[in-house]
Amino acid sequence: MTEVAQPSRTQPEQAAFPMKRTCPFAPPPEYDRFRDARAHYVELEHTGQRAWVLNRHEDLRAMLNDPRFSSDRFNPGFPVLFKDGQQRRPRLRPSLIAMDAPEHGPARRSVVGEFTVKRMKALQPRIQEIVDQHIDAMLAGDKPADLVSALSLPVPSLVICEQLGVPYADHDFFQTHSSRLLNRETGFEERSKSVDAMQNYLSELVSKKETAPADDLLSRQIAKKREEGNYDHDDLVSLAFLLLIAGHETTANMISLGTVALLENPDALAAIKEDPGKTLDAVEELLRYFTIAEFATTRVALEDVDIAGVTIKAGEGVLGLSYAANFDPEVFPEPERLDITRGGRHHVAFGFGAHQCLGQNLARMELQIVFDTLFRRIPTLRLAAPVDQLPFKHDSGVFGLYCLPVTW
């Protein structure tokens, strides 16, 4: 058996990391080469920082389930993917995604009840109403329409705003700033301004709810924490910041990309039109197929760890390539093929382990309602531009579309 050469720390692989997707329906071609070895040592494009890359499904899940790998974004070894990242990063109170044990468990448990399947089912009629209203408006407007501005973005934005108790009238404000924060090309100064603007806005909002609570997530968190005797204003601002940004951009991009993929795969589309019971399986496959938030699985080692055939030393960063893991042919045969019968709920599009996406039940339900309703109400929906002319986002923290012209 031929031995695989061990990656060198002194000469990291010459790869401009992170890599851009050159095709909307496939990972960067370099990922296939990465699969020849389970771990690679690379230099990051924007910072010159060095980090390990894991690409196989088994190794990624093992790393994400190992408490020796930290999610602390402020650890000096944590890989920085953004421009000007070597400068001191804007710092909010650590949020759920940046916490480790023992703080992470209680903080997550305090809010996880807001995202249970039972609570999501209670939200279903209102989400259906929001989707129908926006499709009504799109049908009454001009053709072609931009699906991103007409449906993909406003639906999850309105849902998360109502859930948190954020006035939807302010959605342009937080959409502008969240887009800047998710873009790897945003400079340090502009990023800092957006963090400050969002933090100030949410701090004022939380202050209002402290004196005039309503029936929303933030108000319930205030009441719950006060009853427990551990309420902290800044902690709730940090949670609101995380949920507001994570709760709309990712789902919006999945709506747009999923629509494109279904229109380009008529057999899959025909199957869910004929039997809406298959839509949830289609949603799972689309989540695997696009894996839009690829670098949420970035970590830093707290001690030396043997994994993926190498020893990752304490203080070294790790990029878990969830997109590559979701195209691992040992787990997903013919991964490049969109197969809504695959039954691949073990994908890692939502991460894995203690930090698995808190809002995954909400995202699944929104996607299912949107696809069922969109193609039932507009059965003749089609793209108004060739796929290769669509403006795909390649430099954002999440993969997606700037706009999606459609007609019917």
Side-chain angles (χ1 to χ4, degrees):
M1 183 174 180
T2 304
E3 288 191 8
V4 177
Q6 292 297 300
S8 169
R9 284 183 171 84
T10 58
Q11 293 181 323
E13 296 200 22
Q14 298 301 308
F17 229 89
M19 297 164 178
K20 294 182 180 180
R21 304 186 188 191
T22 57
C23 170
F25 303 129
E30 293 88 351
Y31 284 13
D32 286 337
R33 176 176 60 82
F34 278 172
R35 210 177 301 283
D36 294 339
R38 293 167 59 189
H40 294 260
Y41 198 60
V42 301
E43 184 171 301
L44 304 186
E45 178 182 22
H46 285 314
T47 65
Q49 191 179 9
R50 297 179 180 185
W52 289 97
V53 167
L54 303 182
N55 61 79
R56 296 190 184 181
H57 189 269
E58 176 185 5
D59 295 329
L60 182 60
R61 283 166 61 107
M63 185 269 287
L64 294 175
N65 211 32
D66 191 329
R68 295 174 294 177
F69 291 99
S70 170
S71 297
D72 183 2
R73 269 63 177 164
F74 308 112
N75 184 306
F78 195 90
V80 179
L81 300 175
F82 293 93
K83 188 177 181 180
D84 298 330
Q86 287 179 312
Q87 300 185 51
R88 188 175 65 84
R89 287 163 285 185
R91 182 165 187 165
L92 294 169
R93 185 72 62 90
S95 66
L96 282 173
I97 61 170
M99 287 182 184
D100 295 327
E103 293 80 14
H104 176 259
R108 183 180 174 97
R109 285 192 294 272
S110 73
V111 73
V112 72
E114 297 285 348
F115 296 94
T116 61
V117 172
K118 181 179 180 180
R119 187 172 285 276
M120 294 305 100
K121 286 184 177 179
L123 290 176
Q124 187 171 348
R126 176 55 181 150
I127 296 175
Q128 182 67 63
E129 182 180 19
I130 291 170
V131 171
D132 279 321
Q133 288 172 347
H134 284 82
I135 291 178
D136 286 344
M138 188 170 76
L139 289 171
D142 297 332
K143 293 191 292 186
D146 173 20
L147 195 76
V148 171
S149 60
L151 185 71
S152 304
L153 189 56
V155 167
S157 294
L158 187 52
V159 169
I160 196 62
C161 281
E162 290 193 1
Q163 192 175 14
L164 292 176
V166 174
Y168 184 66
D170 297 335
H171 75 280
D172 284 340
F173 166 83
F174 66 75
Q175 172 61 31
T176 297
H177 289 293
S178 64
S179 295
R180 289 176 186 166
L181 293 171
L182 290 170
N183 192 324
R184 290 197 295 265
E185 297 298 323
T186 301
F188 176 80
E189 184 175 348
E190 189 176 7
R191 183 179 304 281
S192 297
K193 289 179 180 178
S194 286
V195 167
D196 289 343
M198 289 282 286
Q199 187 177 21
N200 292 337
Y201 170 84
L202 290 169
S203 182
E204 291 179 8
L205 180 69
V206 170
S207 293
K208 292 176 183 177
K209 294 182 181 299
E210 289 169 349
T211 56
D215 183 18
D216 55 58
L217 184 152
L218 295 180
S219 297
R220 287 190 292 271
Q221 283 292 297
I222 292 169
K224 180 179 180 180
K225 293 290 188 178
R226 281 176 169 170
E227 184 177 346
E228 295 170 350
N230 59 359
Y231 176 66
D232 186 287
H233 174 93
D234 290 340
D235 282 347
L236 190 56
V237 171
S238 180
L239 177 65
F241 189 99
L242 170 64
L243 295 178
L244 188 60
I245 291 180
H248 73 278
E249 181 83 13
T250 50
T251 304
N253 282 300
M254 272 306 307
I255 291 172
S256 299
L257 292 169
T259 299
V260 173
L262 289 170
L263 290 174
E264 290 293 292
N265 289 269
D267 289 345
L269 179 56
I272 66 171
K273 283 182 176 179
E274 182 178 345
D275 180 7
K278 295 179 179 178
T279 305
L280 190 53
D281 288 335
V283 166
E284 296 298 335
E285 175 68 349
L286 290 166
L287 288 163
R288 177 201 72 86
Y289 194 65
F290 288 111
T291 316
I292 58 172
E294 179 173 13
F295 296 107
T297 47
T298 302
R299 301 288 187 269
V300 58
L302 296 176
E303 57 184 86
D304 293 358
V305 182
D306 292 329
I307 191 170
V310 300
T311 298
I312 298 177
K313 295 182 178 180
E316 292 186 328
V318 185
L319 302 178
L321 300 186
S322 51
Y323 196 17
N326 281 337
F327 270 64
D328 187 339
E330 293 186 9
V331 181
F332 306 102
E334 299 182 79
E336 70 286 346
R337 183 168 61 89
L338 184 73
D339 179 6
I340 68 170
T341 68
R342 191 184 297 275
R345 284 184 66 96
H346 52 301
H347 62 74
V348 288
F350 288 122
F352 185 72
H355 284 276
Q356 193 169 36
C357 177
L358 189 66
Q360 59 182 293
N361 292 329
L362 177 59
R364 285 187 173 102
M365 185 172 67
E366 288 183 80
L367 293 169
Q368 184 176 11
I369 291 173
V370 166
F371 293 141
D372 277 342
T373 308
L374 179 64
F375 293 113
R376 172 176 53 81
R377 295 197 54 191
I378 316 179
T380 59
L381 188 77
R382 65 185 188 276
L383 300 179
V387 171
D388 59 5
Q389 293 181 17
L390 296 178
F392 289 97
K393 300 178 184 179
H394 293 279
D395 297 320
S396 177
V398 294
F399 183 65
L401 277 161
Y402 290 107
C403 68
L404 177 57
V406 293
T407 190
W408 51 91

